[in-house]
Amino acid sequence: MKIITIIFITFISLNIYSQEYYFINAQNGLNVRSGSDLLSAKVAKIPYGVLVEKVLDTDKKMTLNDNGKIIKGNWVKIKYNNYLYLVSKETEPFIKEGYVFDGYLKKVINDSFINRSQISSTEFNELKQKSFRQNHKSKKISSLDSIKTILKNRVEWITEFEDEAYKREDALKSIKTKNGQKLIINPLSDDFGFATGSSGYYPQNDILVLEGGHTIDVCFSIQTGETEVTIGNPEYIIPSPKNTHRLNGFFGGHECITFFLQKKIDDKFTFLTQFANNSDICTFKEFYWISETTFIYKIINHKGDDVFFKTEIKDYSVELPESGTKLSDLIPQGWKVLSTSSGDLNNDDIDDIVFAIQNTLPENLEFNDGPGIDTLDLNPRVLGIYFGKSDHVFEKKLQSNEFIILRDSPTMDEPFDGVKILDNGDLQIDFHFWYSAGSWHMSDHQYTFRYQKEAFELITYESSERNRGSGEETDYKINFITKKMNTSRMYFDDATEEKNEEDLQKKIEIQQLKSLKSLGKPFEWEFQGIRI
């Protein structure tokens, strides 16, 4: 049995970066079916927080009403196992495939939550002076007998063994979660147990930490049944200044700690994302929070060099409502409207609505005692597009958590100039950049999208860039429909100080139009030497 167990550990821990892994995000567990519909037979039920691999997408959509919350998704095929919890009547270890509704799957590595950039050692040390580092130490109960007393009626331990030679005091049998579920541990998963010194129960977190082969962490949330993948080992917690976010992690073997980020929602910390392989900080030497959503760290790369990073959490956990009869129905509580426009986007003679909103959480306000504005609002922004229907209801067509950029520097003017539905039904979104200090450059940018082929495709882009010092100006106009690009440049000759003007027109090649969704964030698509 030990050989089989090792195979399962390899399945879970070593391939997580190369495959598409998710964990179950349904608190009562998620049914696995033999086919991609509700009529297919139930073949297993996977508990909350358990890791699965997605192996196939289907085009079969489904919408559920979960206690008033509309959840949309598709049926997908997954690969799952029964290494830790029994998910069916079978006890022999297996790896199987089945179908689940992906509305209750959450991605383990989701890079859309973080914006990571390499910085210099100088910038790192400057930010370090402004950093916060709280001394966090969770209370730990290290006696197995005490743990059994505290967790009586919540955790059951195996007391009877077929072979007395294998009798032990630390073999888990089941966990009873807060919502009344009884999760049965696979009795053949016997390669973890209580290790004096490293194991223990953390009452503040309601987490039991045991030890597996190669001294890996095996952790259980007694509240939910989640494991180390989403709850971590409390020993690795580093909270943000106001404890709204935190770094967490667990030891997975091979001298490496797997780190991930959590956010506090309704007084409970929820998994956001694990660090991807190319940004793995298992060897980090320093870690500091700069604000509630920004941190810096130092790692040593494979060459032995110090490398420094700054990372921002793009905290976009809000989900806009699926429908509403007026604008106020569509704006989440605690959010403010930055810009809104109405008009006919899809040519059905019914008004549609577009808006940009921003959260108003006080913990995302950053105070500045240097040049520029006194208070920087780093709350997330969201773009919402809703189509009007004949029954006077607006239905959500698109939500973008990245396209409306933030004013993220005290010397920066507000970059977002608004959204507008034009008379012909096109959608226009404008930005500009101007700094009171630190840059001579200023620019204006205009994106125009058209709803076609079930997407908001980018049909034109225009920008005007100017240098306040030299007076140089460069204008770009790109029409992706006609495939023409015009570049106009005005500059002064250094020797004669004469004004020079250039105008260049050329044909462009593009196989497929970019859409508002595929662009993601503005100014990250490099096209014809410029960033759009």
Side-chain angles (χ1 to χ4, degrees):
M1 294 304 171
K2 288 289 186 180
I3 296 175
I4 297 175
T5 298
I6 292 171
I7 291 173
F8 277 107
I9 291 174
T10 303
F11 163 75
I12 293 172
S13 63
L14 298 185
N15 294 326
I16 189 166
Y17 300 119
S18 59
Q19 309 298 326
E20 197 168 5
Y21 276 84
Y22 295 76
F23 64 85
I24 304 300
N25 198 31
Q27 291 196 7
N28 292 319
L30 187 62
N31 289 323
V32 183
R33 295 182 182 271
S34 59
S36 54
D37 56 62
L38 290 175
L39 297 178
S40 298
K42 296 178 185 179
V43 294
K45 186 173 184 179
I46 306 178
Y48 181 47
V50 170
L51 205 65
V52 297
E53 179 189 351
K54 185 172 76 171
V55 295
L56 178 69
D57 288 302
T58 78
D59 58 0
K60 293 186 177 181
K61 301 182 181 297
M62 188 167 74
T63 301
L64 296 180
N65 187 328
D66 187 351
N67 294 320
K69 181 181 179 181
I70 303 299
I71 299 177
K72 292 185 176 183
N74 287 45
W75 286 93
V76 297
K77 181 185 277 190
I78 64 164
K79 188 179 290 184
Y80 65 100
N81 66 75
N82 69 343
Y83 161 65
L84 190 60
Y85 291 122
L86 290 182
V87 298
S88 64
K89 294 180 179 180
E90 296 180 66
T91 58
E92 286 297 323
F94 65 69
I95 297 176
K96 291 187 176 182
E97 293 184 354
Y99 292 87
V100 298
F101 173 57
D102 71 358
Y104 291 109
L105 297 183
K106 190 169 184 179
K107 210 167 188 178
V108 174
I109 299 175
N110 191 340
D111 290 333
S112 67
F113 280 116
I114 57 175
N115 185 18
R116 174 179 176 266
S117 58
Q118 188 171 336
I119 59 176
S120 66
S121 60
T122 301
E123 185 178 355
F124 178 85
N125 288 322
E126 289 175 353
L127 289 170
K128 182 177 174 180
Q129 300 303 314
K130 305 175 183 178
S131 68
F132 301 83
R133 183 68 186 256
Q134 295 186 24
N135 292 322
H136 177 84
K137 189 68 176 177
S138 297
K139 180 182 177 182
K140 178 182 177 181
I141 297 171
S142 302
S143 164
L144 180 58
D145 289 338
S146 299
I147 293 171
K148 287 185 174 183
T149 300
I150 294 169
L151 297 181
K152 186 180 180 181
N153 300 324
R154 300 177 67 199
V155 173
E156 190 177 4
W157 307 82
I158 297 176
T159 57
E160 296 181 3
F161 297 81
E162 291 184 7
D163 189 339
E164 287 295 313
Y166 293 100
K167 186 175 181 179
R168 38 191 280 224
E169 301 293 326
D170 59 351
L172 274 184
K173 184 176 182 180
S174 67
I175 294 173
K176 187 176 181 180
T177 65
K178 188 177 181 180
N179 64 5
Q181 292 184 90
K182 187 174 183 179
L183 304 178
I184 308 298
I185 309 294
N186 191 329
L188 298 179
S189 302
D190 60 349
D191 67 327
F192 61 87
F194 191 87
T196 302
S198 59
S199 295
Y201 172 65
Y202 296 80
Q204 181 182 351
N205 311 94
D206 209 8
I207 290 174
L208 176 65
V209 176
L210 301 176
E211 185 177 283
H214 302 286
T215 68
I216 66 171
D217 289 333
V218 180
C219 311
F220 297 89
S221 167
I222 310 304
Q223 289 232 352
T224 64
E226 293 172 89
T227 66
E228 65 277 354
V229 176
T230 56
I231 61 168
N233 182 334
E235 294 293 335
Y236 298 115
I237 291 173
I238 302 178
S240 64
K242 298 179 182 177
N243 202 32
T244 61
H245 294 82
R246 68 188 187 189
L247 180 75
N248 203 340
F250 61 93
F251 181 67
H254 305 285
E255 300 182 356
C256 189
I257 300 166
T258 298
F259 285 98
F260 57 90
L261 295 167
Q262 293 176 299
K263 177 190 175 183
K264 184 183 279 187
I265 301 175
D266 296 331
D267 249 4
K268 177 195 170 188
F269 278 96
T270 301
F271 180 94
L272 283 180
T273 182
Q274 184 176 304
F275 284 89
N277 192 34
N278 61 358
S279 58
D280 196 338
I281 60 172
C282 72
T283 56
F284 81 87
K285 296 302 178 184
E286 296 182 59
F287 181 100
Y288 304 98
W289 285 97
I290 305 303
S291 68
E292 289 305 296
T293 55
T294 305
F295 55 86
I296 58 173
Y297 57 89
K298 178 176 80 172
I299 66 170
I300 298 177
N301 65 14
H302 65 282
K303 297 179 181 179
D305 301 324
D306 289 344
V307 187
F308 306 90
F309 293 95
K310 177 183 177 182
T311 301
E312 175 192 355
I313 300 174
K314 299 182 289 186
D315 203 350
Y316 302 131
S317 55
V318 70
E319 183 67 30
L320 297 178
E322 291 299 320
S323 62
T325 58
K326 55 185 182 299
L327 178 62
S328 59
D329 294 340
L330 310 175
I331 310 302
Q333 186 175 359
W335 290 65
K336 64 181 179 182
V337 177
L338 301 177
S339 176
T340 184
S341 181
S342 61
D344 187 5
L345 288 165
N346 57 345
N347 197 31
D348 63 355
D349 294 323
I350 301 174
D351 271 358
D352 309 307
I353 192 167
V354 179
F355 57 81
I357 57 176
Q358 185 172 24
N359 209 337
T360 59
L361 293 172
E363 56 262 33
N364 288 331
L365 301 179
E366 189 172 288
F367 300 101
N368 170 51
D369 56 3
I373 58 173
D374 296 332
T375 305
L376 206 57
D377 189 348
L378 299 178
N379 273 292
R381 296 177 171 183
V382 171
L383 173 70
I385 302 178
Y386 284 74
F387 282 173
K389 301 298 178 182
S390 57
D391 57 358
H392 306 291
V393 171
F394 292 103
E395 290 188 356
K396 184 167 67 174
K397 185 60 184 178
L398 182 141
Q399 174 179 337
S400 172
N401 297 330
E402 297 183 287
F403 202 78
I404 308 302
I405 57 179
L406 290 173
R407 182 184 191 178
D408 58 6
S409 169
T411 61
M412 179 188 195
D413 198 21
E414 168 56 59
F416 175 52
D417 288 329
V419 296
K420 184 178 181 181
I421 300 178
L422 304 178
D423 290 340
N424 67 350
D426 291 342
L427 172 61
Q428 181 178 306
I429 304 177
D430 297 332
F431 302 99
H432 81 274
F433 293 96
W434 186 91
Y435 292 84
S436 61
S439 176
W440 286 101
H441 292 273
M442 54 190 296
S443 60
D444 297 292
H445 307 265
Q446 184 180 98
Y447 295 79
T448 304
F449 299 92
R450 179 172 295 166
Y451 184 70
Q452 52 191 22
K453 301 177 183 177
E454 291 293 313
F456 288 92
E457 295 186 322
L458 180 65
I459 59 169
T460 65
Y461 171 78
E462 297 184 13
S463 71
S464 179
E465 302 176 1
R466 299 173 294 286
N467 187 299
R468 289 178 286 166
S470 66
E472 181 178 333
E473 296 183 10
T474 305
D475 296 332
Y476 300 100
K477 293 184 178 180
I478 306 175
N479 190 313
F480 295 101
I481 301 294
T482 62
K483 298 186 177 181
K484 292 181 180 179
M485 177 177 178
N486 185 81
T487 304
S488 300
R489 183 172 175 238
M490 187 278 289
Y491 62 97
F492 294 91
D493 188 279
D494 291 337
T496 64
E497 296 186 353
E498 290 184 358
K499 180 179 179 181
N500 294 281
E501 295 184 357
E502 296 177 351
D503 192 76
L504 175 66
Q505 294 185 353
K506 66 177 182 179
K507 292 284 288 182
I508 58 173
E509 293 296 328
I510 184 167
Q511 299 299 320
Q512 184 175 357
L513 295 182
K514 284 282 188 179
S515 69
L516 206 161
K517 184 176 181 179
S518 64
L519 276 175
K521 192 175 182 180
F523 312 113
E524 292 195 351
W525 176 39
E526 189 167 341
F527 181 79
Q528 297 291 321
I530 62 175
R531 300 191 76 85
I532 296 177

